[in-house]
Amino acid sequence: MQLDNLQAQQQFHIRQRVRFMVNQYEVHSVAPDGSEGGLLAFAQQKRLAFKEQVTIYTDDSKQQPLLGFKARQRLDLGATYDVTDHAGNPIGLFRKDFAQSLLRSTWHVEQAGLPNVTGQERSMPVALLRRFIDSLSWLPYHFDFVAGGQPVFSVVKKWGLRDRYVVEIQNPQIDRRLVIAMAVALDALQGR
């Protein structure tokens, strides 16, 4: 996929594949009728890694990297993750706000040239249920990412046996690769 075509996307569907030793995610465009469109990217994360790292490829052949994100430190509860393009050039970063995340998960996203973006679970009751009643940790959640009170993008986890997400982008300047990285991270890293 050409970067200009990716940047023109206003919505993505993300679906997790169920695998034994790795987390895998398919990022799809959205067809005009709202159904899942063509594959835009494919992400893979090794489980039980000491230093979190996810590579996102152009497709599931894993021949051509599109971007990646990697933790700056090992086992840091408020870790910062650098997002880079296929050549290792910085795109932006995101980090979990550990203190605010005790009750409702909160993330900060940074991209050069844009104000800082803060994403938080929309529903405090759902956030509390997911944290304090283990059997309800599967509940769907909604994250709204805003900058200066203006919506930038949102990630909505859908009901289902497999993790599925709808990502909607409201700010045309945000790099879609950074949005994809953050959306995948919400599933891959949220329980940490």
Side-chain angles (χ1 to χ4, degrees):
M1 157 139 317
Q2 296 295 326
L3 193 54
D4 290 343
N5 193 12
L6 182 63
Q7 193 63 24
Q9 302 293 316
Q10 299 299 311
Q11 193 176 52
F12 304 117
H13 286 180
I14 298 178
R15 182 168 23 107
Q16 183 180 26
R17 288 183 180 176
V18 178
R19 299 291 184 262
F20 181 62
M21 290 304 293
V22 296
N23 286 330
Q24 294 180 335
Y25 303 90
E26 297 174 1
V27 180
H28 291 268
S29 64
V30 178
D33 67 358
S35 65
E36 192 173 273
L39 184 67
L40 297 171
F42 178 80
Q44 182 167 303
Q45 172 205 29
K46 291 182 182 176
R47 291 184 185 155
L48 305 173
F50 286 110
K51 193 172 186 179
E52 292 296 342
Q53 180 173 350
V54 175
T55 302
I56 301 171
Y57 301 92
T58 56
D59 60 36
D60 60 0
S61 71
K62 299 184 280 183
Q63 297 298 310
Q64 184 177 352
L66 178 64
L67 68 129
F69 62 87
K70 184 176 182 179
R72 288 184 181 173
Q73 298 174 316
R74 294 183 208 198
L75 305 174
D76 183 2
L77 297 175
T80 296
Y81 297 84
D82 292 303
V83 181
T84 57
D85 68 11
H86 68 282
N89 300 313
I91 295 171
L93 61 88
F94 58 85
R95 64 183 167 79
K96 190 169 189 176
D97 188 320
F98 180 73
Q100 285 192 321
S101 293
L102 291 173
L103 294 178
R104 184 162 47 171
S105 293
T106 303
W107 293 82
H108 301 283
V109 180
E110 296 178 24
Q111 176 184 316
L114 291 180
N116 290 347
V117 177
T118 300
Q120 191 170 56
E121 285 182 271
R122 186 180 299 165
S123 171
M124 178 66 87
V126 170
L128 293 173
L129 285 171
R130 287 179 54 249
R131 275 163 188 68
F132 298 114
I133 303 175
D134 284 339
S135 63
L136 296 178
S137 63
W138 55 267
L139 281 173
Y141 51 78
H142 304 73
F143 273 83
D144 296 311
F145 289 81
V146 299
Q150 296 300 309
V152 178
F153 67 97
S154 63
V155 179
V156 176
K157 182 178 182 181
K158 299 303 222 173
W159 290 94
L161 295 176
R162 291 189 301 176
D163 291 344
R164 293 182 313 115
Y165 301 87
V166 174
V167 180
E168 292 190 25
I169 300 129
Q170 294 85 16
N171 183 317
Q173 281 82 36
I174 188 100
D175 192 310
R176 301 316 191 254
R177 297 169 297 175
L178 185 57
V179 172
I180 290 170
M182 184 73 251
V184 167
L186 285 175
D187 186 272
L189 306 174
Q190 187 60 22
R192 300 185 187 178

